Amino acid sequence: MSLTTPPRPFDVAALFPRLAPLARTATRLHPRPGAPSAHDSSVGGPLLWPADEPLPHCEGPHQWDRVNAPLSPEDVRQWRRNRAESDSRRRRDPEGPWATPEELETEKRLMAGRPWPEGPIAMLPVAQLYVRDIPGLRPPGASEADLLQVLWCPFDHPAHPRTALFWRSTATVTDVLDAPPEPPAIQFPTYLPEPCLLAPEQVTEYPSYLELSKDLQEQLDDWSRWQAAGPALDSSYEVAPEELYMDMVSVSPGWKVGGWTRWGLTDPLPRLCPACGTDADPLLTIASTEWNDGTESWAPEEEQTDPTQLLPGTPPANFTMLDLARGYDLQLHVCPVSPEHPHIELIQ
């Protein structure tokens, strides 16, 4: 699988030379549904986890909102299979039934939910990234690890899942855990990632508009400075040139490694290592969707030109079936000094 981000409509660093030294390379991961193995880089796939190492559990607290029925991971998988079959049937026969009696009975059973779990909760695989596959992925400090594994507790703590990071050397894993435990229930179906393979691709990013100096922000706000872009310029942005910068040429949407931090839910905040105070680096962005109404220009060329390409989920391009904090992204930052230092979670 190969996915290609379209070239940006113009060279923003040529229009605004002060941006040039701020360029960073990010690796877009482009997760797409598949059947990964433990030896693949993936989202939501099986982990290369040592058989003699207990899978991490979250001690809680896990508090029920008394509204959403908790489902088991297998419940969610069955519900998705039913919906996929219903969608396929409707495409074949638009006048046909939305669901069969068997599917309705299954959905009724699933929606009754599971008992709210007590005690520690087995964490779920979110991402597994081999250094060999992901350009720019490097463990912090002097570690020789060549594999990053990200898990989370599928309950809010307090407003999003709590994550755990593991850097390991694949050479030390001789026996792989074949049947890892799963939690008896999860808080929301959108906290179970759909198994996806990756198509890593490097792109150039520039800082969020909110992280730029006031002088540079004022330059970007001046529409006359954008005129040199010529016919590639989208005149609908004339009333808000900063949105053109944010949508088309600064921070790429979707899952990625490295690059710049996304902001928007809040103003930029310091990201300092809790252990040593060093500035933390962006590591991994876990995205709710690959693009949205403002960032369609970042959709891969292959998916813009192929009329058979399906963009599942709500919003569209929600290939991993995740939804965090009502459509935002969870960004993980790490201390560059040591992999042993705590990481930082940021919803934006």
Side-chain angles (χ1 to χ4, degrees):
M1 180 175 62
S2 179
L3 296 174
T4 310
T5 299
R8 297 301 80 204
F10 43 78
D11 183 353
V12 71
L15 295 177
F16 302 94
R18 288 175 57 187
L19 285 173
L22 303 178
R24 285 185 186 174
T25 299
T27 301
R28 301 188 72 191
L29 298 182
H30 297 308
R32 298 296 185 269
S37 76
H39 300 283
D40 293 313
S41 292
S42 68
V43 165
L47 301 176
L48 189 79
W49 195 269
D52 59 355
E53 182 179 328
L55 200 75
H57 284 61
C58 177
E59 299 292 334
H62 305 109
Q63 298 180 350
W64 188 20
D65 60 11
R66 303 289 175 179
V67 175
N68 296 282
L71 304 177
S72 73
E74 186 51 41
D75 289 340
V76 176
R77 296 182 188 111
Q78 182 62 59
W79 181 80
R80 289 176 180 172
R81 287 193 293 268
N82 284 359
R83 289 302 172 94
E85 176 57 31
S86 175
D87 290 344
S88 176
R89 186 168 55 245
R90 293 284 290 178
R91 286 193 297 273
R92 296 192 305 267
D93 180 10
E95 303 302 321
W98 282 94
T100 65
E102 294 78 13
E103 289 169 348
L104 289 173
E105 184 61 31
T106 298
E107 186 147 331
K108 180 180 178 181
R109 175 179 60 80
L110 294 179
M111 291 303 103
R114 299 279 179 169
W116 192 257
E118 301 289 340
I121 296 293
M123 302 185 88
L124 284 172
V126 177
Q128 173 166 271
L129 305 177
Y130 285 87
V131 170
R132 66 170 191 245
D133 296 331
I134 315 297
L137 179 63
R138 297 291 181 271
S143 170
E144 296 184 358
D146 58 358
L147 178 63
L148 170 64
Q149 295 170 321
V150 182
L151 299 91
W152 68 23
C153 172
F155 292 84
D156 283 338
H157 292 279
H160 58 77
R162 175 184 293 161
T163 56
L165 306 185
F166 296 85
W167 291 95
R168 68 173 76 251
S169 172
T170 56
T172 65
V173 183
T174 53
D175 295 316
V176 179
L177 183 64
D178 289 329
E182 289 194 324
I186 61 180
Q187 187 167 5
F188 303 113
T190 53
Y191 286 176
L192 178 70
E194 186 73 6
C196 291
L197 291 164
L198 309 181
E201 176 201 22
Q202 290 190 296
V203 297
T204 299
E205 292 189 342
Y206 297 93
S208 165
Y209 175 85
L210 297 174
E211 287 204 87
L212 299 175
S213 68
K214 185 176 181 180
D215 288 346
L216 197 41
Q217 286 182 350
E218 289 176 351
Q219 288 187 21
L220 291 170
D221 292 340
D222 183 354
W223 185 247
S224 66
R225 290 178 173 267
W226 292 88
Q227 303 304 304
L233 197 59
D234 184 344
S235 61
S236 67
Y237 284 97
E238 182 174 0
V239 294
E242 73 280 4
E243 293 186 12
L244 170 60
Y245 173 76
M246 291 187 290
D247 289 350
M248 291 193 175
V249 295
S250 59
V251 180
S252 63
W255 286 67
K256 67 172 184 172
V257 166
W260 282 95
T261 302
R262 292 180 200 151
W263 298 100
L265 186 60
T266 69
D267 288 337
L269 303 167
R271 286 88 68 210
L272 304 178
C273 172
C276 68
T278 302
D279 284 334
D281 294 333
L283 173 66
L284 175 66
T285 297
I286 300 170
S288 289
T289 186
E290 284 293 278
W291 60 85
N292 58 30
D293 288 343
T295 56
E296 304 99 325
S297 74
W298 293 88
E301 292 176 343
E302 294 82 356
E303 292 174 339
Q304 292 188 21
T305 58
D306 182 357
T308 66
Q309 179 65 43
L310 301 179
L311 305 181
T314 303
N318 180 220
F319 297 99
T320 63
M321 299 294 181
L322 297 181
D323 187 0
L324 297 165
R326 298 185 179 181
Y328 288 96
D329 301 336
L330 177 58
Q331 301 176 82
L332 307 183
H333 294 70
V334 292
C335 176
V337 175
S338 170
E340 304 301 324
H341 289 182
H343 65 283
I344 298 170
E345 299 170 334
L346 177 68
I347 284 281
Q348 289 290 325

